[in-house]
Amino acid sequence: MSLSVSIPLALGLNSAAQADEGMWMPSQLPDIAGQLKAAGFRGNARDLAELAKPPMNAVVKVGGASGAFVSKDGLVLTNHHVAFGVIQYNSKPDRDLIQDGYIAADRAAELPANPDYRVLVTTGFDRITDRILAGAAGKQGRAYFDAVDAATKAAVAECEREPGTRCSVANMYYGTDFYLVRQLELRDVRLVYAPPNAIGNYGGEVDNFVWPRHAGDFTLLRAYVGKDGKPADYSPDNVPYVPPAHLQVSTRNVKEGDFAMLAGYPGVTFRHRMASEFANQIDWQLPSRVALFQKMIDVIEGTAEKDETARVAYASQVRSLKNNLKRAQGELDGLRRSNATRVRREDETSMFAWLDRQPDAAATRADIAAAQAVLDAGVATRERDQLIGVIQSQTQLLRAAITVQRLANERTKPDAQRETGYQQRDEVLITGQLKQAQRRYAPQVEKALLTELLTQYQALPAAQHVPEFDAVFGTTPAQLKQKLDAMYAGTQLGTEANRLAAMQADRSALAASNDTLLQAAASLMPALLRLDDEAKASAGELLRLRPAYMRALIAYRQSQGRAVYPDANSTLRVSYGRISAMDPRDGVHYRPLTTVQGIVEKHTGEEPFDAPKPLLDAIAKGDFGTTAEPSLDTQTVDILTNLDTTGGNSGSPVLDAQGKLIALNFDSNWEAVSASWMFDPRFKRAIHVDMRYMRWLMAKVYPAPHLLKEMNLPAE
Amino acid sequence: MSLSVSIPLALGLNSAAQADEGMWMPSQLPDIAGQLKAAGFRGNARDLAELAKPPMNAVVKVGGASGAFVSKDGLVLTNHHVAFGVIQYNSKPDRDLIQDGYIAADRAAELPANPDYRVLVTTGFDRITDRILAGAAGKQGRAYFDAVDAATKAAVAECEREPGTRCSVANMYYGTDFYLVRQLELRDVRLVYAPPNAIGNYGGEVDNFVWPRHAGDFTLLRAYVGKDGKPADYSPDNVPYVPPAHLQVSTRNVKEGDFAMLAGYPGVTFRHRMASEFANQIDWQLPSRVALFQKMIDVIEGTAEKDETARVAYASQVRSLKNNLKRAQGELDGLRRSNATRVRREDETSMFAWLDRQPDAAATRADIAAAQAVLDAGVATRERDQLIGVIQSQTQLLRAAITVQRLANERTKPDAQRETGYQQRDEVLITGQLKQAQRRYAPQVEKALLTELLTQYQALPAAQHVPEFDAVFGTTPAQLKQKLDAMYAGTQLGTEANRLAAMQADRSALAASNDTLLQAAASLMPALLRLDDEAKASAGELLRLRPAYMRALIAYRQSQGRAVYPDANSTLRVSYGRISAMDPRDGVHYRPLTTVQGIVEKHTGEEPFDAPKPLLDAIAKGDFGTTAEPSLDTQTVDILTNLDTTGGNSGSPVLDAQGKLIALNFDSNWEAVSASWMFDPRFKRAIHVDMRYMRWLMAKVYPAPHLLKEMNLPAE
């Protein structure tokens, strides 16, 4: 290995160029204390670094997203959309909590969540890099991958011996560092307060990703534990969990330019990928995805046009393809607008120039060159890999046949050694998929889709061909037609019972089957397993080699006086910035605070703009009390900040300079879709519920004075 | 008659409530000099009052809209869309001036406009109220109408005895005052400079009514006269017209808040209509128009769905119905947003309260009550009148039959006494209509439309029924079907030659015709003539009675220290205000200056966002010289002001406080569609080309240094 740099970096400098970008590990915050203070933070950055101390120990993972404790009795604040499953689970025909919302009059009226709903409190975050990489030393490729995988599984298993504990290993800086994350798993979660859906999700799909926004996307839950204070399944005897700390909702006003800080669990970003990966994403991956999805939509719609049943069967798949296409196009537009390829390339070129002036550059350069070779090999088969991926994910019967064959394969191993996704605990999900295929399938559509995808595959150069695929589907359009016709004429998998029976069959029974699709899947299986193995070997190599790149990048940034946050990986992160307006396009300026006037303007009486009458009446009455924003002389609703977020940050608490809770994150703007690759300060914004709107709703519109009191908030 | 007030009013007060609203007659400007000065005007308001002096004598009517002289050699600046016909007329397959634009290298290269294209210079504006009303004294209804009509025609005929003069009588304040407008009619107009359509109409229909806007909607023409200086038809021997004055294009920068003033020929507004008319418009006319047009669109599309020929034939009518529906809906939304019914009603109630305290209120109140009775009678038959209007305007064959019958009727009179629209000079237009019917007609669609409209008619209460319509179309759905089937089976008017032959036939020949549609039209004719007579009688009564209302309103405003401008009527008007941002909805702020960056942002390469390469290159080069806005450090494109405009104001020059030309009006914003009834300062804006954009285009992108020099402008 090459450059030695300490991570996190001790830096006192504040670089304007970097200001406000970053999803920082809490442990890094003391190192960027200067930046934080310059941005307006008034607390001690050291206090933010301790996961087991306030305020970080008040920030939790809820239902796959984020949330925070807001009372000493375990009240959890998160988004309405994050708690939606809980609200839905408690709704009945005569008690529509989605439509009406819910206010638990007292503790006894708090409604148990669906049993799989979790609140996770992070209790440990320990660097275990040496332990994870010990067995990988000297290995390469698949062996490196397997060594890291085995060490990870062992660490998790050991950690989870403690009852009520959920553990995971977080990979920071692409294989550079590994952390063991320990979380308390609270299993008894209850619904306390939810606004009507027409408030929590005001604007619905139409306003999704849109600013100006007017949703009251919040819900209050409460975590319960056994009388012994330990995590427990739901029981009427359970008692509210007493969290180690909770956040105090602010009663002060906020305005444009105010400091803001957010903590939560962002899912995944790609900001520190190599320049060639940016180019591949922008020049090929996204455009080809857009083109392929459009083609698939055209094929499905064209084939199903005159067949009402087929149209219904594929409606959901078409909707999903359209959403993914839209998102890919948005990401592409954004990355192009930000000149991401050029910006990243120039940055990397500068880094290499700097690196080459360092004494120990050669070894690092060699590792990076090797990583680049792995990436280049991936690029050489990207067309094939995209098509084979889509063939497996976007078909119903062929996918079922492949799944069934793969499952039979994996079942020959001990459960712990089976592939993720094919273990015993995954079989419920697989059964569900196989059942669902029934409602999402029409033979002529699947054949038309495969004809399109495999015709594209047949046109690829020989180097990208896979012998098993050529054998099963032929190498000419005529062969393809004949093979697909035979395959779909001779299969019984169109019937649900047959698919479920095949799932139960063992390898030898499947091998003996004369079902044409099962036979095809069996013939493809060696290729799929081989491709899977190759992918893992590549992943192992990148795991081994990328740290050289990351260390070079970190050292280069250090030379510029800048720190580097790791790309997001669903661990607790902190970002900071300010309440920020935005200029989305020439001539248009977005103000960073919306008001109830916007609710009235958007109201049509029809979903998703069907504001409830009590809300409209309260707005008309204008009785906003202490929650009104004085400078606007009305009630605010949502807030725009430049905080650095991504998927998973839903429900993240937004704090002011004093650490008080001023807002609740719930979305980002359309222009920021590309932020998973590049943070462009002109366009990256996050959208939050103003806590003053929540307070007003809870005080004046759907009153819950007992909950305001519990949160130490005024009743009006 | 009742209240005596002097018009225009001499007022020194400036009311903030009224600030910036108003389409003032130039003669009123000295009376509101205080307002003008307070708004930022730095000149002498008295200079603006004189039509025969600068700057007003530089403002002209061009191609039905507005424009201004901008050089001493007759150069006229107007919109690209106002001069579009001229550009189109000069385009050929091998010389596409629409696509490429045009720069006349010298005078010889200036291209003659279509022969009917006119530039009109107002030379006289004289109050002739006494003359117009002399013959009407003591009369009522139709007689009052006819007396005014006859006096108007006589005044026009006398005025137009002067060769090269076009005259008209303008009715101000709804019959209160009449002015004789005298205009010099310049008939030799030539194309001098036009940008490519992709600049002049950048954004096309998509951006129509939209802010932020990025169109360079301007064109330069030149007016020519005979060697004697008098108006003449085109001749190569003609010489440039030397206008009495011209405007100087500004070379100073402008910014938000700067004073702006506009002069032009706004078409029609309804701001001073009575409160009941506002209520009728908002509660019935607009909603019923929206519903009826939607129904008609549904009927046409439903009937033509499977018939490609019919679909093509009705495409234009459907598009027009959709445009009108959209506009009606926009007007309705805007008027509701502005609470127009309530605001106007409260204003009128206050006026009546004030009026009733005046000594001579009774006579005024009696006249207003009588006017209200006329309006109420109109409301009583509004459903019938709307349907009969649509039946005549939205059918092809039935309309043709009615037109032919009416023309035969009118031809029995001396030409001067024939109805407007049926005089000898109108026959070319009628012939065109009758020919065009061929391409816009399918019998099953016309029958379906009539079935819908007449079924609605049949459902009306008896009081709204017309005996002739009942006889021709029956009174039950079954009768209607049978009558329409017979009518369309037995007509020969589906053939163009037969329609044109019928147009040439005299009354007796038509009476003898056994064509079923001609017979139906003959049977309807007495009803149509009677309804027409009733409408004119109502119009006459309103012409007689509305002045009482207007005088009361003017006197009431005078008591508040406010002047009243007459509703727009295509005469020269001046409005003033400032360069103004806008908040179209909660959270969104529109800046009042757009920049070339927006052209790049909107550019897709496809119409209407296909910015020409020379423009994109010049933007990328960033060489904006003296035309850049220093505060934005780039080139501006369009400007938003709060100037009071309506249709007809296209091409109006926008002047600064010193009377210099800073912009050229070309559109208004969508939120201002309702401004024809109510000026809401929150939403009424006008959209202009920044003269700096024109100067930059002419200096750097499509250079025309000789024209810049002619306009006394720097070459860069």
Side-chain angles (χ1 to χ4, degrees):
Chain A
M1 287 283 167
S2 45
L3 294 164
S4 76
V5 291
S6 64
I7 301 169
L9 301 162
L11 292 172
L13 292 172
N14 173 33
S15 159
Q18 193 185 14
D20 302 357
E21 170 177 351
M23 299 173 172
W24 304 96
M25 295 189 287
S27 57
Q28 292 183 284
L29 296 176
D31 302 313
I32 58 162
Q35 281 173 232
L36 267 172
K37 196 177 168 195
F41 179 60
R42 293 285 158 262
N44 186 340
R46 240 163 249 299
D47 295 342
L48 300 175
E50 302 284 337
L51 288 182
K53 288 188 181 166
M56 286 307 148
N57 57 356
V59 181
V60 294
K61 214 161 183 168
V62 187
S66 306
F69 288 117
V70 290
S71 88
K72 66 178 177 49
D73 289 336
L75 214 48
V76 174
L77 177 65
T78 188
N79 293 140
H80 185 268
H81 79 265
V82 171
F84 190 78
V86 180
I87 300 166
Q88 191 171 38
Y89 178 77
N90 281 288
S91 291
K92 301 168 185 169
D94 63 335
R95 189 178 73 172
D96 187 345
L97 305 189
I98 298 172
Q99 183 189 290
D100 301 335
Y102 186 68
I103 307 172
D106 53 26
R107 300 272 159 94
E110 295 176 355
L111 303 169
N114 32 317
D116 58 339
Y117 201 83
R118 295 286 180 272
V119 167
L120 300 172
V121 188
T122 299
T123 55
F125 186 75
D126 300 304
R127 190 159 175 267
I128 57 164
T129 310
D130 293 346
R131 175 174 172 188
I132 294 295
L133 294 183
K139 292 182 175 144
Q140 295 193 357
R142 176 76 196 232
Y144 192 95
F145 181 93
D146 288 341
V148 169
D149 193 44
T152 297
K153 282 176 171 159
V156 167
E158 184 197 308
C159 177
E160 289 191 346
R161 271 187 219 132
E162 170 82 22
T165 301
R166 174 82 69 89
C167 302
S168 59
V169 171
N171 167 356
M172 298 289 178
Y173 303 106
Y174 295 111
T176 308
D177 260 335
F178 295 87
Y179 286 79
L180 181 65
V181 183
R182 186 188 305 263
Q183 295 174 308
L184 190 69
E185 185 177 40
L186 302 175
R187 310 196 293 274
D188 181 359
V189 183
R190 304 189 194 172
L191 178 63
V192 179
Y193 185 103
N197 193 57
I199 289 177
N201 190 28
Y202 190 66
E205 276 304 309
V206 180
D207 266 7
N208 195 13
F209 279 120
V210 166
W211 185 262
R213 191 67 152 277
H214 297 88
D217 191 355
F218 76 94
T219 285
L220 287 163
L221 306 170
R222 192 187 304 279
Y224 281 76
V225 287
K227 282 188 168 165
D228 58 358
K230 300 235 151 64
D233 289 333
Y234 169 77
S235 158
D237 297 334
N238 283 350
V239 297
Y241 171 68
V242 177
H246 68 271
L247 301 177
Q248 176 58 47
V249 174
S250 168
T251 54
R252 297 176 57 179
N253 291 313
V254 296
K255 60 177 195 312
E256 181 168 357
D258 281 2
F259 175 85
M261 183 170 66
L262 167 151
Y265 294 86
V268 57
T269 58
F270 311 90
R271 306 242 182 99
H272 304 317
R273 290 292 179 100
M274 292 165 67
S276 74
E277 294 178 280
F278 272 68
N280 184 45
Q281 179 76 2
I282 296 163
D283 298 343
W284 191 81
Q285 290 289 354
L286 292 171
S288 70
R289 197 180 302 161
V290 165
L292 184 63
F293 286 1
Q294 186 57 57
K295 192 82 205 167
M296 291 170 68
I297 291 164
D298 292 346
V299 166
I300 296 175
E301 290 186 337
T303 312
E305 194 184 2
K306 312 236 150 132
D307 181 340
E308 177 64 18
T309 314
R311 223 167 42 226
V312 170
Y314 281 85
S316 158
Q317 187 171 349
V318 166
R319 194 163 50 239
S320 160
L321 283 167
K322 284 183 177 172
N323 279 340
N324 283 312
L325 187 156
K326 186 184 162 194
R327 222 190 139 91
Q329 188 65 57
E331 189 175 322
L332 183 59
D333 291 345
L335 290 171
R336 284 179 175 158
R337 190 171 48 218
S338 300
N339 267 318
T341 304
R342 210 189 65 203
V343 170
R344 187 73 193 86
R345 175 68 68 193
E346 289 176 0
D347 181 37
E348 189 176 84
T349 302
S350 303
M351 178 186 90
F352 285 149
W354 173 88
L355 176 62
D356 292 342
R357 293 195 303 271
Q358 307 310 310
D360 42 7
T364 299
R365 280 292 232 169
D367 274 4
I368 294 173
Q372 187 61 58
V374 175
L375 294 174
D376 291 346
V379 165
T381 58
R382 62 189 181 186
E383 289 82 6
R384 176 199 76 187
D385 295 336
Q386 184 185 59
L387 287 169
I388 289 182
V390 167
I391 285 168
Q392 290 180 84
S393 66
Q394 297 288 318
T395 55
Q396 292 296 339
L397 251 49
L398 180 57
R399 173 167 63 165
I402 290 171
T403 302
V404 160
Q405 290 286 9
R406 179 76 190 257
L407 183 62
N409 261 11
E410 298 296 329
R411 278 211 192 110
T412 61
K413 309 174 194 167
D415 191 57
Q417 286 169 35
R418 291 200 216 170
E419 268 302 309
T420 307
Y422 296 92
Q423 291 177 297
Q424 224 149 34
R425 63 177 180 189
D426 300 315
E427 294 193 10
V428 175
L429 194 66
I430 294 175
T431 307
Q433 266 179 18
L434 294 178
K435 282 184 175 169
Q436 207 175 42
Q438 207 57 38
R439 292 184 294 108
R440 304 189 160 202
Y441 169 75
Q444 75 277 23
V445 178
E446 182 150 325
K447 275 164 65 181
L449 258 184
L450 281 172
T451 302
E452 172 62 34
L453 296 169
L454 288 159
T455 302
Q456 289 195 23
Y457 165 81
Q458 289 183 341
L460 292 178
Q464 293 202 45
H465 273 251
V466 182
E468 292 88 340
F469 273 77
D470 291 352
V472 168
F473 296 111
T475 54
T476 66
Q479 286 173 3
L480 175 61
K481 181 175 183 341
Q482 181 257 315
K483 300 251 186 194
L484 283 178
D485 284 346
M487 211 175 283
Y488 282 81
T491 184
Q492 305 300 318
L493 293 184
T495 310
E496 179 181 321
N498 293 336
R499 286 195 301 277
L500 295 177
M503 183 183 162
Q504 298 311 325
D506 63 17
R507 240 173 135 177
S508 59
L510 285 180
S513 165
N514 62 359
D515 187 285
T516 44
L517 258 180
L518 285 175
Q519 288 174 346
S523 306
L524 294 174
M525 197 49 59
L528 295 174
L529 292 172
R530 193 172 67 246
L531 293 174
D532 194 43
D533 181 61
E534 287 170 13
K536 288 205 173 100
S538 294
E541 277 300 90
L542 289 175
L543 208 51
R544 181 173 76 85
L545 298 165
R546 273 192 202 270
Y549 185 88
M550 282 311 306
R551 285 195 180 88
L553 184 67
I554 290 165
Y556 172 59
R557 290 275 188 273
Q558 190 171 28
S559 78
Q560 297 174 310
R562 294 167 59 186
V564 175
Y565 55 91
D567 259 316
N569 57 359
S570 292
T571 57
L572 184 62
R573 302 295 180 91
V574 172
S575 67
Y576 70 90
R578 54 190 55 76
I579 298 179
S580 294
M582 178 183 171
D583 291 342
R585 54 186 197 282
D586 185 49
V588 181
H589 176 78
Y590 288 162
R591 302 188 196 282
L593 297 171
T594 61
T595 75
V596 289
Q597 181 56 33
I599 296 173
V600 177
E601 286 171 6
K602 288 179 176 176
H603 180 76
T604 61
E606 281 172 37
E607 213 189 341
F609 298 107
D610 51 342
K613 191 166 182 307
L615 176 61
L616 293 175
D617 289 348
I619 294 170
K621 200 173 160 202
D623 176 18
F624 304 122
T626 62
T627 59
E629 163 58 36
S631 68
L632 301 170
D633 197 25
T634 187
Q635 181 61 52
T636 54
V637 177
D638 290 337
I639 294 182
L640 194 68
T641 68
N642 67 347
L643 290 169
D644 196 357
T645 58
T646 193
N649 269 125
S650 283
S652 293
V654 180
L655 310 179
D656 67 8
Q658 282 79 30
K660 294 283 195 293
L661 184 58
I662 53 172
L664 181 68
N665 183 60
F666 71 96
D667 200 8
S668 64
N669 53 316
W670 177 244
E671 296 83 0
V673 168
S674 54
S676 51
W677 285 79
M678 175 159 282
F679 182 98
D680 186 329
R682 294 172 300 167
F683 299 116
K684 174 66 188 83
R685 295 293 183 277
I687 300 175
H688 322 301
V689 184
D690 191 324
M691 284 292 96
R692 294 175 294 184
Y693 183 50
M694 179 184 88
R695 285 170 48 211
W696 177 65
L697 289 171
M698 294 183 72
K700 302 285 177 73
V701 189
Y702 297 92
H706 57 300
L707 296 172
L708 289 172
K709 192 175 174 205
E710 181 181 339
M711 293 188 282
N712 283 314
L713 288 170
E716 63 179 26
Chain B
M1 288 277 168
S2 45
L3 295 165
S4 76
V5 291
S6 64
I7 301 167
L9 300 163
L11 293 172
L13 292 172
N14 174 32
S15 159
Q18 192 185 13
D20 302 357
E21 172 180 351
M23 299 171 172
W24 304 95
M25 295 188 287
S27 57
Q28 290 183 286
L29 296 175
D31 303 312
I32 59 162
Q35 282 172 231
L36 267 173
K37 195 178 168 194
F41 179 60
R42 293 285 158 264
N44 185 341
R46 240 163 249 297
D47 295 342
L48 301 175
E50 302 286 336
L51 289 182
K53 288 188 184 169
M56 286 306 147
N57 57 356
V59 182
V60 293
K61 214 161 184 170
V62 187
S66 306
F69 288 116
V70 289
S71 88
K72 66 179 177 51
D73 288 336
L75 213 49
V76 174
L77 177 65
T78 188
N79 294 140
H80 184 268
H81 80 265
V82 170
F84 190 77
V86 179
I87 300 166
Q88 192 171 38
Y89 178 79
N90 281 289
S91 292
K92 299 169 188 170
D94 62 335
R95 188 179 73 173
D96 187 344
L97 305 190
I98 298 173
Q99 183 190 291
D100 303 334
Y102 185 68
I103 307 174
D106 53 27
R107 300 271 159 96
E110 295 176 355
L111 304 168
N114 33 317
D116 58 338
Y117 201 83
R118 294 286 180 274
V119 168
L120 300 172
V121 188
T122 299
T123 55
F125 186 76
D126 300 303
R127 190 162 174 264
I128 57 163
T129 310
D130 293 345
R131 175 174 172 187
I132 293 295
L133 294 182
K139 292 181 176 146
Q140 295 193 355
R142 176 76 197 235
Y144 192 96
F145 181 92
D146 288 342
V148 169
D149 194 44
T152 297
K153 283 175 172 160
V156 168
E158 185 196 307
C159 177
E160 290 190 346
R161 271 187 219 136
E162 171 82 22
T165 302
R166 174 83 68 91
C167 303
S168 60
V169 171
N171 167 356
M172 298 287 178
Y173 303 107
Y174 295 112
T176 308
D177 260 334
F178 295 86
Y179 287 79
L180 182 64
V181 183
R182 186 189 305 263
Q183 295 174 308
L184 191 68
E185 185 178 38
L186 302 175
R187 311 196 293 275
D188 182 359
V189 183
R190 303 187 195 174
L191 178 62
V192 179
Y193 185 104
N197 193 58
I199 289 178
N201 190 28
Y202 191 65
E205 275 305 307
V206 180
D207 266 8
N208 195 12
F209 278 121
V210 165
W211 184 260
R213 190 67 153 277
H214 297 87
D217 191 355
F218 76 94
T219 286
L220 287 164
L221 305 171
R222 192 187 305 279
Y224 280 77
V225 288
K227 284 187 169 168
D228 59 356
K230 299 235 151 65
D233 289 333
Y234 168 78
S235 158
D237 297 332
N238 284 349
V239 296
Y241 172 68
V242 178
H246 68 272
L247 302 176
Q248 176 59 47
V249 174
S250 169
T251 54
R252 297 177 57 179
N253 290 312
V254 297
K255 59 176 195 311
E256 181 168 356
D258 281 1
F259 175 85
M261 183 170 66
L262 168 151
Y265 294 87
V268 58
T269 58
F270 311 90
R271 306 242 181 98
H272 304 317
R273 291 292 179 100
M274 291 166 67
S276 74
E277 295 178 280
F278 272 68
N280 183 47
Q281 180 76 0
I282 297 163
D283 299 343
W284 191 81
Q285 290 289 354
L286 291 171
S288 70
R289 197 180 302 162
V290 166
L292 184 62
F293 286 2
Q294 186 59 58
K295 192 79 205 171
M296 291 170 66
I297 292 165
D298 292 347
V299 166
I300 296 174
E301 290 186 336
T303 311
E305 193 183 2
K306 314 234 151 132
D307 180 341
E308 177 63 19
T309 314
R311 224 168 41 228
V312 170
Y314 280 85
S316 157
Q317 187 172 350
V318 165
R319 194 163 53 238
S320 160
L321 283 166
K322 284 182 177 172
N323 279 341
N324 283 312
L325 186 156
K326 185 184 163 196
R327 221 190 141 91
Q329 187 66 56
E331 188 174 323
L332 183 59
D333 292 346
L335 290 171
R336 283 179 175 156
R337 189 171 52 218
S338 300
N339 267 318
T341 305
R342 210 190 65 205
V343 170
R344 187 71 193 87
R345 174 69 67 195
E346 289 175 1
D347 180 37
E348 189 177 85
T349 301
S350 304
M351 177 187 90
F352 284 149
W354 173 87
L355 176 62
D356 291 344
R357 292 195 302 273
Q358 307 310 310
D360 42 6
T364 299
R365 279 291 233 170
D367 274 3
I368 294 173
Q372 186 60 59
V374 175
L375 294 173
D376 291 347
V379 166
T381 58
R382 61 190 180 185
E383 289 82 6
R384 176 200 75 187
D385 296 335
Q386 185 185 59
L387 288 169
I388 290 181
V390 167
I391 285 168
Q392 290 180 82
S393 67
Q394 297 289 318
T395 55
Q396 292 295 338
L397 252 48
L398 180 57
R399 174 168 61 164
I402 290 171
T403 301
V404 160
Q405 289 287 8
R406 180 75 190 255
L407 182 62
N409 261 10
E410 296 296 328
R411 277 208 193 113
T412 62
K413 308 175 195 168
D415 192 57
Q417 287 170 35
R418 292 200 216 169
E419 268 302 309
T420 306
Y422 295 93
Q423 290 178 297
Q424 224 149 34
R425 64 177 180 189
D426 300 314
E427 294 193 10
V428 174
L429 194 67
I430 294 175
T431 306
Q433 267 180 16
L434 293 179
K435 283 184 174 170
Q436 206 175 42
Q438 207 58 37
R439 292 183 294 109
R440 305 190 160 201
Y441 168 75
Q444 75 276 24
V445 177
E446 181 149 326
K447 274 163 69 179
L449 258 184
L450 281 172
T451 302
E452 172 61 35
L453 297 169
L454 288 159
T455 302
Q456 290 195 23
Y457 165 83
Q458 288 182 343
L460 292 178
Q464 292 202 46
H465 274 251
V466 181
E468 292 88 341
F469 273 77
D470 291 353
V472 169
F473 297 110
T475 54
T476 67
Q479 287 173 2
L480 176 60
K481 181 176 183 339
Q482 182 256 315
K483 300 249 185 196
L484 284 178
D485 284 347
M487 212 175 285
Y488 282 81
T491 183
Q492 305 299 317
L493 293 184
T495 311
E496 180 182 320
N498 293 337
R499 286 195 300 279
L500 295 177
M503 182 183 162
Q504 299 311 325
D506 65 15
R507 240 174 136 179
S508 59
L510 286 179
S513 165
N514 61 359
D515 186 284
T516 42
L517 259 179
L518 284 174
Q519 287 174 347
S523 305
L524 294 173
M525 197 46 60
L528 295 174
L529 292 173
R530 193 172 67 246
L531 292 174
D532 194 44
D533 181 60
E534 286 170 14
K536 288 205 174 101
S538 294
E541 276 299 90
L542 290 174
L543 207 52
R544 180 175 75 86
L545 298 165
R546 273 191 202 271
Y549 185 88
M550 282 309 306
R551 286 197 178 87
L553 183 68
I554 290 165
Y556 172 59
R557 290 276 187 273
Q558 190 172 29
S559 78
Q560 297 173 311
R562 295 167 58 189
V564 175
Y565 56 92
D567 259 317
N569 57 359
S570 292
T571 56
L572 183 62
R573 301 296 180 90
V574 172
S575 67
Y576 70 90
R578 55 191 55 76
I579 297 179
S580 293
M582 179 182 170
D583 291 343
R585 54 187 198 281
D586 186 49
V588 180
H589 176 78
Y590 287 161
R591 302 188 196 281
L593 296 173
T594 59
T595 76
V596 289
Q597 182 55 35
I599 295 173
V600 178
E601 287 171 6
K602 287 179 176 176
H603 179 74
T604 61
E606 279 170 38
E607 213 190 339
F609 297 108
D610 51 344
K613 190 165 182 308
L615 177 61
L616 293 174
D617 289 347
I619 294 171
K621 200 173 159 203
D623 176 18
F624 303 123
T626 62
T627 60
E629 164 58 37
S631 68
L632 301 170
D633 196 25
T634 186
Q635 180 61 53
T636 54
V637 177
D638 290 337
I639 294 182
L640 195 68
T641 68
N642 66 347
L643 291 170
D644 197 355
T645 57
T646 193
N649 269 125
S650 284
S652 293
V654 180
L655 310 179
D656 67 8
Q658 282 79 29
K660 293 282 194 295
L661 184 59
I662 53 173
L664 182 67
N665 183 60
F666 72 95
D667 200 8
S668 64
N669 54 316
W670 177 245
E671 297 83 359
V673 167
S674 55
S676 52
W677 284 78
M678 175 160 282
F679 182 99
D680 185 330
R682 295 172 300 168
F683 300 115
K684 176 65 188 82
R685 294 293 183 277
I687 300 175
H688 322 301
V689 184
D690 191 325
M691 283 294 96
R692 293 174 295 183
Y693 183 50
M694 179 185 87
R695 285 171 47 212
W696 178 65
L697 289 172
M698 294 182 72
K700 301 285 176 73
V701 190
Y702 296 92
H706 57 299
L707 295 172
L708 290 172
K709 190 172 174 209
E710 181 181 340
M711 293 188 282
N712 283 314
L713 289 169
E716 63 179 24

